[in-house]
Amino acid sequence: MHITQQLSTTLNSQCCSSSKMVKLALGSFGDSFSIGSLKSYLSEFIATLLFVFAGVGSAIAYGKLTSDADLDPAGLVAIAIAHAFALFVGVSIAANISGGHLNPAVTFGLAVGGHITILTGLFYWVAQCLGSIVACLLLEFVTSVTSVPTHGVASGVSALGGVVMEIIITFALVYTVYATAADPKKGSIGIVAPIAIGFIVGANILAAGPFSGGSMNPARSFGPAVVSGDFSQIWIYWVGPLVGGGLAGLIYGDIFIGCHSHVPVSNDYP
């Protein structure tokens, strides 16, 4: 059918319906409680939860920053933007080779969903941690800093609170990876996936930075800990992100994809 014919048909149907009252479809319990509908509800719940958490969390974080002289709001924004841009580029340049994980929590989450084998994932972990250590050594050398800054929970935040915060924000990150890159139904979205992944990291740092540091990445925290020799809170940044990444892989991989067959790692990202 030509576009003009489609437009004519649409206009005719609108004219025919214009004389009628607006009618709301009640639907049936069968349709409302179908598997597809339940998945839609869960998806809306998770997506809205993550959106509000990052949005309201950043507002709360801003309030904390403006009342604490030791913290700088402009610095937090700069850190968030830097991480977002860097991750976008990192994922983009590695996507066609390794899948562009750059994060043990992402690797673990994809392993839980059957997108990478455990053994290969362990080698990914080694490579990621080594990359982080070398980066920190280089930074220490070229900047002559006395100590590479490490992740740690803020004053007044408990270790458990830091773990829970890292679980939530890493869940958001890995869930975004699945939704934009690992889901076979995603179609061809090209560069959108790395952008979305970078954006969620930046947003989560704005929300969680003043509380847990907003790591979401065990390798990101491990490198500075090794170079500085400070392992006092490193467990928080392994437990929290791995639990969050695993939960995202379990929920999205099990419920929304429902496939545990292993696929080549290069297919994890577009």
Side-chain angles (χ1 to χ4, degrees):
M1 183 182 291
H2 294 293
I3 294 177
T4 54
Q5 292 175 315
Q6 291 178 327
L7 179 59
S8 176
T9 302
T10 302
L11 290 174
N12 288 336
S13 63
Q14 289 176 344
C15 291
C16 291
S17 61
S18 61
S19 59
K20 299 178 181 179
M21 297 289 290
V22 175
K23 184 181 293 185
L24 299 177
L26 180 61
S28 65
F29 282 103
D31 290 337
S32 298
F33 287 94
S34 66
I35 297 298
S37 294
L38 293 176
K39 288 182 179 180
S40 297
Y41 305 153
L42 182 59
S43 179
E44 284 296 302
F45 167 77
I46 294 173
T48 306
L49 185 154
L50 298 177
F51 169 70
V52 175
F53 183 87
V56 176
S58 62
I60 296 173
Y62 179 78
K64 177 178 175 61
L65 290 171
T66 54
S67 62
D68 191 335
D70 295 331
L71 298 174
D72 179 18
L76 176 65
V77 173
I79 292 170
I81 292 175
H83 278 77
F85 284 178
L87 186 62
F88 159 61
V89 174
V91 171
S92 298
I93 62 178
N96 294 329
I97 303 172
S98 65
H101 298 189
L102 284 74
N103 185 339
V106 171
T107 300
F108 182 64
L110 291 170
V112 170
H115 291 267
I116 186 172
T117 65
I118 294 176
L119 182 59
T120 300
L122 289 175
F123 285 118
Y124 268 50
W125 282 19
V126 172
Q128 291 156 357
C129 289
L130 285 176
S132 179
I133 293 171
V134 172
C136 292
L137 287 171
L138 289 172
L139 283 169
E140 188 177 52
F141 173 73
V142 300
T143 63
S144 299
V145 293
T146 56
S147 178
V148 175
T150 60
H151 277 126
V153 296
S155 176
V157 178
S158 67
L160 178 59
V163 170
V164 172
M165 179 68 84
E166 289 295 318
I167 289 174
I168 297 171
I169 60 178
T170 309
F171 179 93
L173 167 60
V174 179
Y175 190 90
T176 301
V177 169
Y178 263 94
T180 62
D183 192 334
K185 301 186 297 295
K186 68 184 183 300
S188 179
I189 56 177
I191 204 67
V192 171
I195 292 175
I197 294 166
F199 277 6
I200 191 61
V201 165
N204 282 341
I205 290 175
L206 289 175
F211 304 102
S212 71
S215 172
M216 297 164 275
N217 188 334
R220 164 64 181 82
S221 299
F222 186 69
V226 170
V227 173
S228 67
D230 181 6
F231 294 93
S232 59
Q233 298 188 40
I234 189 62
W235 68 272
I236 295 173
Y237 303 101
W238 278 94
V239 174
L242 290 181
V243 171
L247 286 174
L250 184 65
I251 292 175
Y252 202 104
D254 239 9
I255 297 176
F256 298 122
I257 297 179
C259 175
H260 291 277
S261 59
H262 295 151
V263 298
V265 293
S266 60
N267 288 338
D268 288 342
Y269 289 89

